[in-house]
Amino acid sequence: MGLKKKRQAFVVMLVSMMLMTACGNTASTQSDQKEAPDKGTEKERVVTVYEDAKRAESDEVKKELADFTKETGIKVELNIVPGDGVEVYKKIDIDMISGEKTDVIRLSNPILIDKYGSNGWLYPLDELMKKENYDSAKVFGKYLPKFADNKTYVLPDQAGKWAVYYNKKIFDDAGVAYPSGDWTWDDYIATAKKLTKADKGIYGSYMLDYDNYMYMLARQYDVNGYKEDGTSNYDDPAFKKALQFFGDLGNVEKIQPSWLEFKSKKLSWDGFMSGNYGMHFIGTWYTNQFKDKKTYPRDWKVGITQIPVPADGKGNNNFGIVAGYGVNKNAAHPEEAYTYIKWMAENSYKYGGNLPARVDLNDDDIKQLFKKTSDELSGEITVEDLDKALISNDLGFVDEKITGAGSTEYSNIILQESELYLVGQKSLDDTVASIKKRADQAIKDAGGK
Amino acid sequence: MKSNGKTDRPSILARVLQIGYREKGAAFVFVIPFMIGFLIFNIIPMVYSVVISLMDYNSFKPMNMIKFIGFDNYTRLFHDPIALNAFGKSFLYALFYVPGLIILSFLLAILLNRTFALRGITRTFILMPYVANVVAVSIVWSILLDPFGGPVNQIIAKFGIEPPLWLSGVKTALPTIAGINIWQSLAFQTIVFLAAIQGVNKDLYEAADIDGASRWKRLWSITLPVISPTTFFLVITSIISSFQNYASVRMLTNGGPGTSSRVISLNIYEEAFTLNHYSYASAQAMILFAIVLVITIIQWKGQKRWVHY
Amino acid sequence: MGTLLRKSVFNIIMLVIGLLMVIPFIFMISASLKAPADVFVNPMQIIPEHIYTLNYETIFHHKYYFHWYWNSISTVVLTVVFRGLLVTMAAYAFARLTFPGKNILFLFLISAMMIPSDTTIVAKFMLYKYLGLINTHWVIILPAAFDVFFIFLLRQFFMGIPKDLTESALIDGASHYGIYFKIILPLAVPALITMGLFTFIWTWNDFISPFIFINDINKQLVTVGLEYFQLEAGKNYALQMAGACLIVLVPITIFAALQKYFVQGIAMSGIKG
């Protein structure tokens, strides 16, 4: 190897380095060209959709997408985002800002629906709906998300509720009768105590680390997270009581893993499937896990009953959230995207086992849905069980989450501060006071009052 | 800087080759490719971030709605207890991490420098944590340090000592993270120290032996001064890396319990990607940058006292 | 006799330290051979009651895993090559040549090293999008190639090479290119191996860049792949551990093969005195 040859190689390298800076523009035009043909050709209609990895791999979603393509002739291309729950929106946020063209975004809770809809990232659907005389108010009624400018940006595909799922084997082993519904939190705690067998690692109850667990009792009493003047309402005694109630379940009653245990053992959202817990208080989307015997092989049967209520009779409410689909403002295929989200909003309840967000369905439609769920669970849960737990009971319905100005931050503050109380590092009064103080600041920064 | 852009192709080549004989010219050729890439991939994003930090990009809205607001994001920082607390936590973390890492890696390097049976395999063992994936490492440590019947606490409890809460304790979370990170990054520092120690001129030790110096005396008056440039390098880089611990903190505690391990890198990331406070996050990043820069300059100026080239 | 005793005590101490360092790995392997539900049940039980191989089978039959693995390997190798060339050139200039503005430029470089890389990520995303790098492997390779850390490290090493070596070559009429290729690089081979190895590990384990900058699942790298596992089967730690064991396999093999060479090598070239 002569020195000359090496020199030449060196110079070639150098020149290519210089060129690389110039290459930037060429490369970006190339990628633009790649996207262009989709628009022009009429032959194959395509819609691109964000999905998280878990959903993208699930059989329901695969079947749902196949049926959609069969019915409409529109091909679906998934843009799969890794991450858990709301993690995926960190990436979608950045994509939006940089003008990414993926058409459809699934918005899994009201805080997200509000965030994307109110900040101008979604494509208004009103004209497309008008073109085909689609009356979204008639189909979705009270579940249709509303925005300040009176436009429609999101079509809801589910209006979940909450319920208590229980492990029949643990009830049988402890010789405890299955819960029959119509019960109070005191009953829940008493039942869970009978089921808890600390030496065998069995807890009577299981709850997660979501923000709304911290204030679920306050929501059941329908106490709002915001005052009339827009500031935080966390100084309402209901929130203090709610937090204490949740903390006591693990720390005092010891019917479920304490916060400390939950966090240090890294217990997960699907922990109930391990079979070590008697009851799980969670939203109805959870039903899907019981169908999936491949991921969660189990030798026990599951039951469902309605959520417990406070003993004073003033909080006889169930709660839940609306989730839905929106179309990216920069969507490459807005019309296909509209077709997609409309189809999903109308049909996805047939696949996932969630409650639909449609008000135009009659009782038979719902019964049919319950029948299908029941069949898929080989009758472990009957149609009557589902109906009684979710519909034919005397519970009212309230929103599960605190939504409004600065709600993402509000939710973070609640989690951070409540955690200090739950692990015994901060007194209850101090915790609630500092949530109120910090939330007020966050609401102010977010442009609320 | 001079440019030769107007001349013909062959003469560019010839000139570039010719330049290699002159020191300044050669330096230019050697440094320029790196500097161009460096500008594109480091400086432009940095400058852009400074620009963002002066805007009101603090909610999730399109770029065309964003205005310049000057230094508001910077003044806001001084009224934000969470951000100030996060800066404090980062300093505390550095206080655990940097001395721990430097001292342990130096000791380990001294031990590894001696000959012993199974030296190769032991050395490989010691270097192994460095290659492990941060996701895997944090899961394993969470299992080991589980305060509810985890193996470490089972052993501690046998000695009749009240076992700590480790990652779940308000006071212990930060030192525990520092410990885990020291465990993981020990290998790099140890190798560099080892190389430096092995490079110490043997004659120096022989001379000391003739003088009858003890082992500690040799370490103190020969090894430490001779390897001081390496130590300096390691101190500077480990201080810098102690402020960039986002991934491990995120995986181990996510800042908890409460805000007790919420270091500034985590705070910045959360501000930007969870709360969409891009401008405010950039302002915090700039302040962090300024602080680290000042620390480094102080060290640079102070090195004459203890670094011997 | 006394020295023999002391020697064996020392041997044992070193072995214990070594074992302490690898205990987490033993747990990792152990967990990967357990059924998912058993991972947290009795972590003290190193050898599982039943060896559970389904975790590994799941990975071997996985649609993308080896695809990700290959993506990671090719990306990492290219990163090592690009960084090796660019960084040694610049480090040589900073260590051995004098030119105007050298110290200021160098201080400028190391101060940029202090920018926490996550914080400029929004700006980076927009820039890379503009350059057409998003969703290609170049988005990992190119930014990593221009790394200041190793300029700092190699500069220290290059400064340790005796001046008379290069000065006599200059007198003999060699150009600085010749000195760089013929004298400095060969002497720095162990340092280069060190750099290559660490670059390999860092790029291999990087999570945030591929997560943010790469969209297509079949272009993804293996670390982000671990995250996909996590989501496909809930928080399946056993499966993740199996995935992690396979991920760590490549760097550990290389590490084990090269460690002797480069530990001794750094000393030879770097700070010879």
Side-chain angles (χ1 to χ4, degrees):
Chain A
M1 281 287 269
L3 190 59
K4 262 187 189 166
K5 233 180 184 174
K6 279 180 182 166
R7 268 182 199 162
Q8 277 170 3
F10 175 70
V11 172
V12 167
M13 216 288 310
L14 192 70
V15 172
S16 63
M17 279 305 309
M18 303 286 197
L19 284 176
M20 236 168 51
T21 44
C23 270
N25 290 324
T26 355
S28 63
T29 41
Q30 271 169 358
S31 70
D32 283 345
Q33 279 166 358
K34 215 176 83 189
E35 280 161 21
D38 300 349
K39 260 188 189 169
T41 49
E42 289 280 302
K43 270 181 268 166
E44 194 176 49
R45 300 175 72 198
V46 179
V47 62
T48 49
V49 179
Y50 283 111
E51 272 299 352
D52 68 50
K54 168 95 178 162
R55 271 176 56 89
E57 287 297 317
S58 75
D59 291 339
E60 293 97 18
V61 172
K62 280 182 187 157
K63 186 156 184 300
E64 201 173 356
L65 296 179
D67 286 357
F68 168 75
T69 305
K70 209 161 70 189
E71 256 179 60
T72 61
I74 298 173
K75 212 178 125 209
V76 182
E77 281 171 10
L78 294 183
N79 182 345
I80 301 172
V81 186
D84 197 358
V86 293
E87 278 297 283
V88 296
Y89 296 96
K90 289 182 182 172
K91 182 167 161 65
I92 298 176
D93 282 0
I94 305 177
D95 279 9
M96 290 293 113
I97 291 164
S98 67
E100 171 66 41
K101 293 193 172 73
T102 302
D103 300 315
V104 175
I105 308 155
R106 185 167 189 277
L107 300 159
S108 63
N109 73 49
I111 296 179
L112 291 164
I113 289 177
D114 186 57
K115 177 170 141 180
Y116 279 76
S118 299
N119 287 308
W121 296 103
L122 299 181
Y123 188 94
L125 305 168
D126 303 81
E127 284 198 8
L128 290 168
M129 294 197 298
K130 213 170 150 193
K131 226 194 259 178
E132 54 168 34
N133 280 325
Y134 188 70
D135 188 354
S136 57
K138 203 173 134 197
V139 182
F140 303 107
K142 62 180 173 178
Y143 297 119
L144 191 70
K146 291 179 185 57
F147 297 92
D149 58 4
N150 283 323
K151 287 188 178 151
T152 310
Y153 292 104
V154 172
L155 297 183
D157 77 315
Q158 57 167 283
K161 286 184 178 175
W162 284 60
V164 170
Y165 294 88
Y166 56 92
N167 181 329
K168 290 183 175 169
K169 184 159 174 274
I170 287 182
F171 273 80
D172 294 342
D173 290 350
V176 179
Y178 301 148
S180 58
D182 235 347
W183 55 340
T184 64
W185 281 111
D186 296 335
D187 300 333
Y188 179 88
I189 293 168
T191 312
K193 268 190 181 157
K194 286 182 220 157
L195 303 173
T196 303
K197 301 269 182 298
D199 50 325
K200 287 185 196 149
I202 287 172
Y203 278 109
S205 164
Y206 192 64
M207 293 187 195
L208 305 182
D209 54 355
Y210 297 164
D211 50 354
N212 51 298
Y213 282 101
M214 312 293 132
Y215 53 74
M216 60 184 182
L217 213 56
R219 288 305 303 138
Q220 246 187 330
Y221 282 117
D222 203 10
V223 178
N224 200 322
Y226 295 86
K227 289 188 199 300
E228 296 271 311
D229 63 0
T231 58
S232 162
N233 194 26
Y234 232 81
D235 50 353
D236 189 298
F239 284 102
K240 185 175 151 185
K241 201 179 145 199
L243 179 57
Q244 185 177 23
F245 172 76
F246 177 70
D248 284 354
L249 295 178
N251 292 337
V252 178
E253 311 286 356
K254 299 195 188 302
I255 56 166
Q256 66 188 27
S258 66
W259 186 267
L260 203 57
E261 183 172 355
F262 190 94
K263 283 291 168 187
S264 42
K265 279 198 154 57
K266 292 196 185 294
L267 299 178
S268 66
W269 63 269
D270 55 357
F272 182 68
M273 302 310 294
S274 67
N276 295 324
Y277 305 95
M279 298 182 284
H280 188 23
F281 175 58
I282 191 78
T284 43
W285 55 270
Y286 204 82
T287 312
N288 278 348
Q289 318 312 317
F290 301 106
K291 297 178 193 165
D292 182 359
K293 295 246 173 102
K294 201 175 76 197
T295 314
Y296 307 109
R298 57 192 165 94
D299 59 351
W300 45 275
K301 291 197 163 42
V302 64
I304 187 171
T305 191
Q306 71 187 59
I307 79 169
V309 293
D312 61 11
K314 289 177 190 155
N316 288 342
N317 287 311
N318 195 344
F319 43 62
I321 48 165
V322 168
Y325 287 91
V327 176
N328 181 355
K329 183 189 62 178
N330 297 317
H333 325 96
E335 293 194 14
E336 286 82 356
Y338 164 68
T339 312
Y340 180 85
I341 71 169
K342 193 179 75 180
W343 195 91
M344 287 295 152
E346 287 179 356
N347 296 302
S348 78
Y349 73 93
K350 294 173 192 161
Y351 299 86
N354 284 308
L355 290 171
R358 291 175 60 175
V359 294
D360 61 335
L361 297 176
N362 57 31
D363 288 355
D364 284 345
D365 293 327
I366 300 291
K367 285 269 156 64
Q368 230 166 20
L369 164 67
F370 286 166
K371 177 84 173 57
K372 185 169 167 284
T373 305
S374 175
D375 289 348
E376 278 168 348
L377 290 169
S378 341
E380 283 181 59
I381 293 176
T382 64
V383 175
E384 289 73 41
D385 290 342
L386 286 164
D387 181 57
K388 194 150 177 282
L390 303 172
I391 304 211
S392 303
N393 53 40
D394 48 8
L395 299 181
F397 184 81
V398 291
D399 281 336
E400 153 195 341
K401 298 236 184 219
I402 294 178
T403 48
S407 47
T408 314
E409 234 164 327
Y410 200 164
S411 147
N412 271 12
I413 292 167
I414 291 169
L415 275 174
Q416 267 174 18
E417 296 288 338
S418 303
E419 183 168 31
L420 287 175
Y421 165 71
L422 294 171
V423 300
Q425 299 291 342
K426 207 167 187 174
S427 78
L428 187 58
D429 289 313
D430 287 355
T431 305
V432 180
S434 65
I435 292 177
K436 158 81 178 153
K437 195 172 148 229
R438 285 180 61 194
D440 278 346
Q441 182 63 40
I443 294 165
K444 211 166 123 192
D445 290 345
K449 291 237 176 104
Chain B
M1 298 203 187
K2 285 170 219 153
S3 144
N4 300 315
K6 281 173 193 164
T7 39
D8 302 335
R9 250 160 209 278
S11 77
I12 289 180
L13 189 73
R15 276 198 180 209
V16 167
L17 292 178
Q18 199 56 43
I19 277 171
Y21 291 94
R22 290 194 310 252
E23 192 162 348
K24 279 177 198 164
F28 182 75
V29 172
F30 276 119
V31 170
I32 266 308
F34 186 88
M35 291 312 292
I36 290 173
F38 180 75
L39 279 176
I40 295 173
F41 294 109
N42 284 301
I43 300 308
I44 292 178
M46 175 76 183
V47 172
Y48 197 25
S49 296
V50 174
V51 173
I52 291 176
S53 81
L54 300 173
M55 303 198 291
D56 69 338
Y57 203 178
N58 284 328
S59 63
F60 187 50
K61 60 188 173 189
M63 285 297 257
N64 53 18
M65 288 169 63
I66 291 154
K67 292 188 290 280
F68 273 94
I69 52 163
F71 288 92
D72 282 11
N73 290 310
Y74 291 87
T75 48
R76 176 177 168 188
L77 178 66
F78 295 98
H79 308 289
D80 179 352
I82 300 301
L84 293 177
N85 172 65
F87 275 108
K89 294 291 177 195
S90 274
F91 285 121
L92 200 59
Y93 176 84
L95 281 182
F96 291 121
Y97 177 79
V98 178
L101 183 62
I102 296 294
I103 292 168
L104 283 177
S105 56
F106 178 69
L107 291 178
L108 205 54
I110 296 231
L111 292 175
L112 280 178
N113 192 33
R114 299 169 57 169
T115 47
F116 53 93
L118 302 175
R119 179 162 123 165
I121 185 96
T122 308
R123 203 154 61 184
T124 310
F125 279 1
I126 287 170
L127 303 184
M128 264 173 72
Y130 201 75
V131 303
N133 186 287
V134 66
V135 183
V137 163
S138 37
I139 295 167
V140 172
W141 279 106
S142 307
I143 301 173
L144 291 174
L145 297 176
D146 179 3
F148 296 87
V152 173
N153 276 9
Q154 278 181 25
I155 294 166
I156 292 177
K158 277 195 185 118
F159 292 101
I161 307 165
E162 171 88 8
L165 290 173
W166 303 113
L167 293 165
S168 312
V170 169
K171 290 214 174 72
T172 50
L174 206 57
T176 309
I177 299 172
I180 292 170
N181 281 336
I182 289 173
W183 170 81
Q184 201 181 6
S185 40
L186 205 52
F188 181 78
Q189 319 279 326
T190 308
I191 291 175
V192 177
F193 264 131
L194 189 58
I197 291 169
Q198 289 180 347
V200 176
N201 196 331
K202 298 281 181 298
D203 299 347
L204 291 172
Y205 289 127
E206 274 162 27
D209 281 345
I210 293 167
D211 294 346
S214 72
R215 183 174 287 174
W216 291 113
K217 175 105 177 134
R218 279 183 2 181
L219 190 69
W220 188 254
S221 54
I222 298 174
T223 314
L224 276 177
V226 173
I227 66 162
S228 59
T230 307
T231 315
F232 176 66
F233 163 73
L234 289 177
V235 168
I236 287 216
T237 52
S238 56
I239 287 178
I240 294 166
S241 68
S242 78
F243 287 99
Q244 303 188 16
N245 47 6
Y246 168 73
S248 60
V249 174
R250 157 77 204 285
M251 301 282 179
L252 286 166
T253 63
N254 204 11
T259 54
S260 57
S261 60
R262 191 180 174 92
V263 290
I264 190 64
S265 61
L266 183 77
N267 198 60
I268 290 171
Y269 200 89
E270 287 283 306
E271 289 279 359
F273 295 104
T274 307
L275 305 173
N276 308 106
H277 296 168
Y278 301 109
S279 291
Y280 187 37
S282 296
Q284 292 183 22
M286 292 310 126
I287 298 273
L288 173 60
F289 170 62
I291 291 171
V292 178
L293 188 63
V294 168
I295 293 176
T296 310
I297 289 172
I298 291 171
Q299 297 234 351
W300 204 265
K301 297 273 177 206
Q303 65 170 317
K304 288 187 188 82
R305 287 200 198 162
W306 62 281
V307 180
H308 311 274
Y309 286 104
Chain C
M1 224 20 216
T3 48
L4 193 68
L5 187 71
R6 259 174 52 188
K7 240 192 153 96
S8 46
V9 167
F10 184 74
N11 285 347
I12 291 166
I13 290 174
M14 288 314 288
L15 202 62
V16 169
I17 293 178
L19 283 176
L20 280 177
M21 298 295 279
V22 286
I23 279 180
F25 290 92
I26 296 169
F27 273 93
M28 205 161 109
I29 297 165
S30 149
S32 75
L33 293 169
K34 286 179 177 176
D38 295 341
V39 173
F40 284 87
V41 174
N42 189 3
M44 290 284 258
Q45 188 180 24
I46 302 278
I47 297 164
E49 243 169 84
H50 317 281
I51 299 284
Y52 183 86
T53 54
L54 198 67
N55 297 322
Y56 286 98
E57 278 170 42
T58 313
I59 290 174
F60 285 126
H61 294 125
H62 194 274
K63 253 192 297 194
Y64 296 115
Y65 191 90
F66 290 99
H67 207 80
W68 294 330
Y69 217 91
W70 170 246
N71 289 343
S72 274
I73 289 179
S74 58
T75 304
V76 165
V77 167
L78 282 172
T79 307
V80 170
V81 170
F82 273 82
R83 186 186 270 182
L85 197 62
L86 290 162
V87 163
T88 49
M89 280 165 48
Y92 172 71
F94 281 114
R96 317 278 304 191
L97 305 175
T98 48
F99 55 94
K102 178 170 131 174
N103 285 330
I104 289 172
L105 207 56
F106 189 64
L107 199 66
F108 178 62
L109 285 182
I110 26 176
S111 47
M113 193 160 74
M114 292 155 223
I115 308 168
S117 54
D118 298 335
T119 59
T120 51
I121 209 152
V122 176
K124 279 182 191 154
F125 191 93
M126 294 173 194
L127 178 72
Y128 298 166
K129 182 104 185 165
Y130 176 74
L131 295 176
L133 294 173
I134 293 293
N135 214 12
T136 68
H137 291 140
W138 294 106
V139 81
I140 312 292
I141 298 163
L142 291 179
F146 302 94
D147 177 85
V148 184
F149 182 84
F150 282 106
I151 292 210
F152 196 0
L153 186 78
L154 285 175
R155 175 179 164 269
Q156 303 284 103
F157 287 136
F158 289 167
M159 273 168 29
I161 297 173
K163 279 260 188 269
D164 20 330
L165 267 181
T166 49
E167 267 159 22
S168 56
L170 271 178
I171 292 163
D172 292 347
S175 77
H176 284 281
Y177 307 140
I179 291 171
Y180 164 74
F181 276 116
K182 290 207 143 172
I183 299 174
I184 300 289
L185 282 191
L187 278 174
V189 161
L192 293 182
I193 289 178
T194 310
M195 177 167 80
L197 197 81
F198 283 113
T199 302
F200 193 102
I201 293 163
W202 291 346
T203 316
W204 188 264
N205 287 336
D206 185 18
F207 178 81
I208 295 176
S209 306
F211 175 66
I212 301 283
F213 300 135
I214 293 181
N215 295 326
D216 288 2
I217 190 163
N218 58 355
K219 284 186 188 162
Q220 205 43 274
L221 306 188
V222 80
T223 323
V224 182
L226 256 193
E227 182 92 352
Y228 280 99
F229 283 134
Q230 192 177 326
L231 291 154
E232 276 176 27
K235 289 219 165 84
N236 188 340
Y237 290 125
L239 186 61
Q240 256 186 289
M241 284 296 150
C245 283
L246 289 182
I247 287 180
V248 170
L249 201 65
V250 170
I252 283 195
T253 315
I254 297 177
F255 219 106
L258 294 180
Q259 57 106 356
K260 192 177 170 189
Y261 181 56
F262 77 74
V263 171
Q264 287 169 350
I266 293 170
M268 266 168 52
S269 88
I271 308 149
K272 207 174 179 180

